[in-house]
Amino acid sequence: MLVKKGIEVLLGVVITALLGYALANRSFEIRQNVVERDSIAYWSAGKLLLHHQNPYEPGTVFSLERQKGYGHDKPLVLRTPPWSLFLVLPLGLLNPLGAWVLWMAASFGSLLIAMRICWRLYGAGSIPRNLFSIVGYTFAPIPACLVAGQMGLLLLLGFMLFLWWEKEQPFLAGTALLLPFAKPHLSSLFWFAFLIWLGMHKKRRVAAGFAVSLVVTTAVALLFDSQVLWHYRTMLRGAAIGYEFIPALSGVLRLLFFRKTFWVQFIPLTVGLVWCIWFLVRNQHCWDWRRHGPALLMVSVLTTPYAWLTDEVILLPAILQAAI
């Protein structure tokens, strides 16, 4: 056992050294590539927030990104709400390359922890560990999320921690849900079921954990930008999302049949809400988040009016549960 542990530690040191060498040797090419990824929006938001400026102002964001070599004609502006800004705040202390390295480290760490929790919840004893890992790590949205530098893996970690802690550590479980609440539209049916569950079962400690974390992180954002809530609202009003092609099921249906009618993208969500009510009623006496939560996530992503391939990493527990 000690020999095996020693080999694993040695292997980890070697891999880390090789990655460090690659980053140092190819730093110029990587730096040029990093500014074209979505993580540049996280860096710019963190940088502006640290200087007590509006992290959602397109003109300022564009100017900052162009200074670092960003080459597109439209700025990459962070669209997640103020309570998620604590995630990107540390990135503003670094340059874009350092911010990308830190973001990748957080993403890889989130993936590893999420996979370990998935194994303990769904895989242990029912499927070979290697096969389980292959199915999980080759799930297409995962490499897409890593390449784009998106935050989907942190959202996944929040869901998995909730499933892991919900029964024994309810306060921490509620706190963990702050991570996926950075993009609540992705899992709208999950949040609907969550609110119903809180009320029916009087889960005060879970609600307290979520509420405290939401208040604290919003206060952090307000500390750096006292008008951040208004700035976020202004950004959403000017984002013109209704004119964008959204590669979700709802967006495809709208593109094919109702191109100029934005509200059509909410029809699948309405159907999903009806299904969610039926699902809750059917399973109300045997409700188990570890068993029923992945199904809610799956239907939420299928019916959401706004999502990208990288966001689908939150379906990892549903994919692994189904595969087993």
Side-chain angles (χ1 to χ4, degrees):
M1 180 63 71
L2 291 177
V3 174
K4 183 179 179 181
K5 287 290 184 182
I7 293 174
E8 290 178 352
V9 171
L10 179 61
L11 185 61
V13 171
V14 171
I15 292 174
T16 302
L18 290 174
L19 287 174
Y21 173 77
L23 286 173
N25 193 44
R26 297 288 183 178
S27 60
F28 178 78
E29 292 89 342
I30 294 173
R31 188 179 291 107
Q32 292 296 111
N33 187 265
V34 161
V35 296
E36 303 296 334
R37 300 182 186 276
D38 291 346
S39 56
I40 191 67
Y42 307 154
W43 170 80
S44 61
K47 177 68 72 175
L48 291 172
L49 200 61
L50 281 174
H51 288 83
H52 300 278
Q53 294 179 274
N54 178 5
Y56 298 115
E57 211 292 306
T60 310
V61 170
F62 194 36
S63 176
L64 188 59
E65 292 173 347
R66 289 297 292 268
Q67 290 175 17
K68 299 301 178 180
Y70 178 72
H72 296 282
D73 57 356
K74 292 183 180 179
L76 278 176
V77 180
L78 182 67
R79 289 179 176 176
T80 58
W83 53 81
S84 69
L85 291 175
F86 79 98
L87 293 171
V88 303
L89 193 59
L91 304 182
L93 298 170
L94 307 169
N95 58 34
L97 177 60
W100 174 78
V101 171
L102 178 59
W103 190 255
M104 286 297 97
S107 297
F108 274 111
S110 298
L111 175 59
L112 292 174
I113 295 172
M115 279 292 294
R116 178 160 294 193
I117 296 175
C118 278
W119 169 254
R120 293 183 178 181
L121 292 183
Y122 304 117
S126 59
I127 186 174
R129 183 67 177 267
N130 291 339
L131 179 58
F132 184 88
S133 298
I134 290 172
V135 173
Y137 289 120
T138 58
F139 180 43
I142 288 178
C145 186
L146 290 170
V147 169
Q150 266 285 349
M151 64 168 58
L153 290 169
L154 277 76
L155 312 186
L156 170 65
L157 176 63
F159 281 123
M160 296 313 304
L161 289 174
F162 170 74
L163 297 180
W164 183 250
W165 284 333
E166 178 262 320
K167 294 180 179 179
E168 297 180 356
Q169 301 287 343
F171 185 86
L172 291 178
T175 301
L177 283 179
L178 182 71
L179 291 175
F181 201 58
K183 293 187 175 182
H185 59 278
L186 291 178
S187 47
S188 51
L189 301 184
F190 175 94
W191 295 111
F192 177 77
F194 177 68
L195 289 174
I196 299 297
W197 175 75
L198 287 179
M200 290 183 61
H201 299 279
K202 296 180 174 59
K203 297 291 184 176
R204 295 185 180 88
R205 294 184 65 187
V206 178
F210 179 72
V212 168
S213 61
L214 185 62
V215 170
V216 169
T217 51
T218 304
V220 169
L222 288 168
L223 182 65
F224 287 92
D225 178 7
S226 60
Q227 295 184 300
V228 69
L229 296 173
W230 174 257
H231 290 157
Y232 177 65
R233 181 174 180 271
T234 303
M235 181 275 294
L236 287 183
R237 293 180 65 181
I241 297 175
Y243 297 98
E244 296 180 4
F245 167 63
I246 308 300
L249 175 63
S250 56
V252 173
L253 291 176
R254 177 194 168 195
L255 179 66
L256 291 175
F257 303 109
F258 308 95
R259 182 170 301 210
K260 297 182 179 180
T261 311
F262 180 61
W263 63 264
V264 169
Q265 290 192 205
F266 293 87
I267 292 178
L269 180 60
T270 304
V271 176
L273 186 61
V274 173
W275 171 88
C276 183
I277 294 172
W278 169 82
F279 189 66
L280 286 169
V281 171
R282 181 183 179 186
N283 298 289
Q284 60 179 322
H285 299 300
C286 59
W287 188 261
D288 185 346
W289 279 109
R290 297 179 180 182
R291 178 184 173 190
H292 300 110
L296 284 172
L297 291 179
M298 178 68 76
V299 180
S300 293
V301 171
L302 284 174
T303 59
T304 183
Y306 187 89
W308 301 82
L309 173 64
T310 55
D311 296 323
E312 295 177 9
V313 295
I314 66 172
L315 299 181
L316 180 64
I319 295 300
L320 292 172
Q321 188 186 48
I324 292 169

